[in-house]
Amino acid sequence: MTTEPHHQRVLIVDFGSQVTQLIARRVREAGVYCEIHPFDKAEAVIDDYAPSAIILSGGPASVLEADSPRIGRKLFDHGAPLLAICYGQQLLCDVLGGKVEGGHAGEFGRAEIVIGKESPLFAGIGAVDHREPVWMSHGDRVVAIPEGFEVIATSVGAPFAAIGDEARRMYAVQFHPEVVHTPRGAEIYRNFLFGIAGLKGDWTMASFRQEMVQKIRAQVGTGKVICGLSGGVDSSVAAVLIHEAIGDQLICVFVDTGLLRLNEAEQVVTLFRDHYNIPLIHVDAGAEFLGALAGVSDPETKRKIIGGKFVDIFDREAAKIDGADFLAQGTLYPDVVESVSARGGPSAVIKSHHNVGGLPDFMKLKLVEPLRELFKDEVRALGVELGLAPAFVGRHPFPGPGLAIRIPGDITPEKVDVLQQADAIYLDEIRKAGLYDKIWQAFAVLLPVKTVGVMGDARTYENVLALRAVTSTDGMTADFFEFPWDVLGKTATRIINEVRGVNRVVYDVTSKPPGTIEWE
């Protein structure tokens, strides 16, 4: 999954850190293309990948452990400028002749480094003796650095908080510049990419669009492509991009699961048939999905059922289309990265409704995945580049399983109807209050709990509905949105008055740390 050779590229070596993808985000934000490869495959790809710079991620292990993730000298001897982060710094020191010890007091959370030497890594950030807040997360400590390196910065718990070998353009920091808790971390990455590595920052959505159109044409030739539309932004952007490349060789199959937001199916059909004039087959499969999910309560089982049903329907529709050779889907880069995580990441749980890594053997179609190099916000930027309305590409993310994981417990048509109505009211009130674009994702959940209430002169025994809204920049981590009480009050009142079957509304204020799955 590489771009054209003329792009300068950064290789990010993943040692299992939960924030490795944030490193890629910082690099991409600077206009530099990068890819994440697990530590045990990095040496095998480095020659073909030909990176212009290398970044070693952090990780949860200790270099003092016998089974810790390691690399040999090949990456260090490659000659490309190198930046090592946290565990990466300790591994660099361990491999190149320094020393790491355990048993010292660690640093976790907010810390402060003191710049001890002028360095291009901290250009524009501070002179000697400047104090800079950073985010630390380490237990072991570097106690000796390799020959050729000098100390650039220190902290209370890390006498070698930042080190550098300017002759070899190799630098290492004990803290995490990729997280927002290191306020000027993005500047540190830009200093490394541009000031030290001398990169140009030549990767844009416009260039990606042009190159991907050519790639799609080369891959597909005169064949036909079926694009599985889910109704979400990712598959929609993929479809528009493919249509730009091959026109009516693309046939979209929109599988209406019956688990979408209220009226969302009609909106998708109108967008593709009327606005883009893209050939579209609308499969009303709500009864099939609900039938397959009947009596199923386990959320992971629901995901697998939905993923399997999608594949079955695509295969069935493909058999009706003469000459269909390819299946397109909106796989994103986080899906790909998680599927090959350095430490056996959470993809088996998080992405079980995706077909990351290939299709079942019985399907004869070849995959077209034009978005597999992009993060979520990059997909949105590409959508705008392609002319999709900002209001469409800016829609809150909606999971592949749809409302199935917003209804814990068994699923019935009646529950789906209640949740669709309540969710629509919730989003309507958010938009009216001007809050929609300030929230990354907002949704309602129909809890498997009933409570006694009094409505008017009657006692009721109805469902409890939970409302959730989170803020995020990349969907990897999230924090709850601090709703104005009056908006929550209006929303709850409307739901209880307008939706039969709900007599209590609660607001969920749980945060989403890295690595967790959707609320369910």
Side-chain angles (χ1 to χ4, degrees):
M1 67 176 148
T2 58
T3 57
E4 298 303 315
H6 66 268
H7 281 299
Q8 295 175 314
R9 298 180 293 197
V10 172
L11 170 64
I12 300 172
V13 182
D14 180 23
F15 294 99
S17 169
Q18 62 184 357
V19 292
T20 296
Q21 289 188 34
L22 290 182
I23 300 175
R25 294 298 307 116
R26 298 294 173 259
V27 175
R28 296 276 187 93
E29 287 165 359
V32 177
Y33 183 75
C34 64
E35 289 182 11
I36 299 170
H37 289 268
F39 71 93
D40 55 350
K41 295 180 174 64
E43 291 188 2
V45 304
I46 191 169
D47 292 333
D48 288 337
Y49 188 71
S52 298
I54 299 170
I55 298 176
L56 307 184
S57 85
S62 166
V63 298
L64 304 175
E65 298 170 351
D67 61 347
S68 61
R70 304 185 70 82
I71 55 175
R73 293 191 62 104
K74 184 174 182 178
L75 270 68
F76 298 108
D77 294 339
H78 179 269
L82 183 143
L83 175 65
I85 309 296
C86 195
Y87 177 87
Q89 185 204 45
Q90 296 178 2
L91 182 62
L92 176 148
C93 291
D94 189 63
V95 172
L96 297 185
K99 187 176 181 181
V100 179
E101 287 183 349
H104 296 275
E107 284 181 303
F108 299 93
R110 298 185 188 279
E112 192 176 67
I113 61 170
V114 180
I115 296 177
K117 180 183 184 297
E118 288 189 8
S119 167
L121 192 64
F122 295 123
I125 293 175
V128 174
D129 293 333
H130 171 76
R131 295 179 176 271
E132 183 68 25
V134 298
W135 187 263
M136 291 281 193
S137 182
H138 66 98
D140 295 340
R141 176 185 294 183
V142 173
V143 295
I145 58 178
E147 184 179 352
F149 281 82
E150 295 182 288
V151 179
I152 299 172
T154 62
S155 73
V156 172
F160 303 103
I163 60 176
D165 181 337
E166 294 189 4
R168 289 190 287 176
R169 295 188 296 173
M170 297 176 67
Y171 295 82
V173 297
Q174 187 61 73
F175 58 92
H176 288 273
E178 63 272 15
V179 301
V180 295
H181 305 295
T182 301
R184 303 183 74 177
E187 294 179 54
I188 294 173
Y189 277 111
R190 287 196 294 270
N191 284 339
F192 171 70
L193 296 170
F194 302 127
I196 294 170
L199 305 185
K200 296 180 293 186
D202 59 358
W203 194 72
T204 65
M205 278 301 108
S207 66
F208 176 87
R209 173 187 179 180
Q210 295 169 0
E211 291 160 11
M212 190 52 64
V213 164
Q214 296 303 316
K215 284 186 177 181
I216 294 168
R217 289 172 180 166
Q219 179 185 7
V220 172
T222 59
K224 291 183 180 178
V225 179
I226 299 176
C227 182
L229 286 180
S230 65
V233 173
D234 303 337
S235 61
S236 298
V237 171
V240 174
L241 178 62
I242 295 170
H243 186 255
E244 179 174 288
I246 61 173
D248 288 349
Q249 290 172 244
L250 170 70
I251 300 171
C252 289
V253 178
F254 171 45
V255 180
D256 182 356
T257 64
L259 300 167
L260 301 174
R261 298 181 181 103
L262 187 67
N263 300 324
E264 194 160 49
E266 292 83 354
Q267 294 167 7
V268 172
V269 172
T270 299
L271 176 69
F272 283 86
R273 282 184 178 165
D274 298 345
H275 183 71
Y276 281 101
N277 198 28
I278 296 176
L280 176 69
I281 297 172
H282 180 196
V283 184
D284 186 357
E288 285 188 65
F289 279 88
L290 288 172
L293 292 167
V296 178
S297 298
D298 179 68
E300 185 57 22
T301 304
K302 292 178 187 176
R303 290 168 177 270
K304 292 178 179 178
I305 288 172
I306 291 169
K309 183 62 64 176
F310 263 106
V311 171
D312 291 343
I313 292 173
F314 288 148
D315 191 50
R316 185 177 71 202
E317 295 302 321
K320 301 175 185 177
I321 301 172
D322 185 39
D325 302 306
F326 299 90
L327 173 64
Q329 59 184 27
T331 305
L332 302 189
Y333 195 50
D335 305 335
V336 177
V337 172
E338 287 163 356
S339 71
V340 292
S341 169
R343 300 288 281 184
S347 62
V349 175
I350 298 176
K351 302 298 178 186
S352 54
H353 58 281
H354 284 255
N355 298 310
V356 178
L359 294 171
D361 292 338
F362 69 82
M363 293 193 75
K364 305 305 180 184
L365 302 175
K366 291 164 281 191
L367 274 176
V368 178
E369 298 174 305
L371 308 182
R372 65 183 281 124
E373 295 175 359
L374 302 182
F375 288 91
K376 186 74 175 184
D377 58 322
E378 292 172 331
V379 172
R380 290 174 169 171
L382 176 61
V384 173
E385 174 73 24
L386 289 165
L388 283 162
F392 179 82
V393 298
R395 287 187 308 164
H396 292 174
F398 193 58
L403 298 181
I405 60 166
R406 306 296 187 230
I407 304 175
D410 65 311
I411 300 173
T412 66
E414 294 75 22
K415 288 181 180 179
V416 172
D417 182 60
V418 167
L419 185 54
Q420 284 179 328
Q421 293 182 56
D423 191 71
I425 291 171
Y426 183 31
L427 295 180
D428 182 52
E429 288 299 323
I430 288 173
R431 287 190 174 95
K432 286 179 178 177
L435 300 175
Y436 190 84
D437 292 336
K438 298 179 181 179
I439 298 171
W440 168 263
Q441 186 182 48
F443 54 85
V445 178
L446 190 64
L447 299 179
V449 176
K450 288 192 173 184
T451 62
V452 175
V454 175
M455 300 178 69
D457 296 323
R459 188 175 298 278
T460 63
Y461 184 60
E462 300 290 1
N463 296 290
V464 177
L465 188 89
L467 302 180
R468 179 132 166 82
V470 297
T471 58
S472 181
T473 56
D474 47 33
M476 292 177 56
T477 61
D479 203 355
F480 67 89
F481 179 71
E482 296 186 12
F483 251 113
W485 286 109
D486 61 323
V487 178
L488 279 178
K490 290 178 184 177
T491 302
T493 299
R494 277 193 62 190
I495 289 172
I496 291 173
N497 287 337
E498 298 176 30
V499 181
R500 292 183 63 109
V502 177
N503 71 354
R504 193 171 306 279
V505 176
V506 298
Y507 183 59
D508 174 21
V509 294
T510 307
S511 297
K512 176 189 172 188
T516 59
I517 60 178
E518 294 104 336
W519 197 100
E520 60 187 13

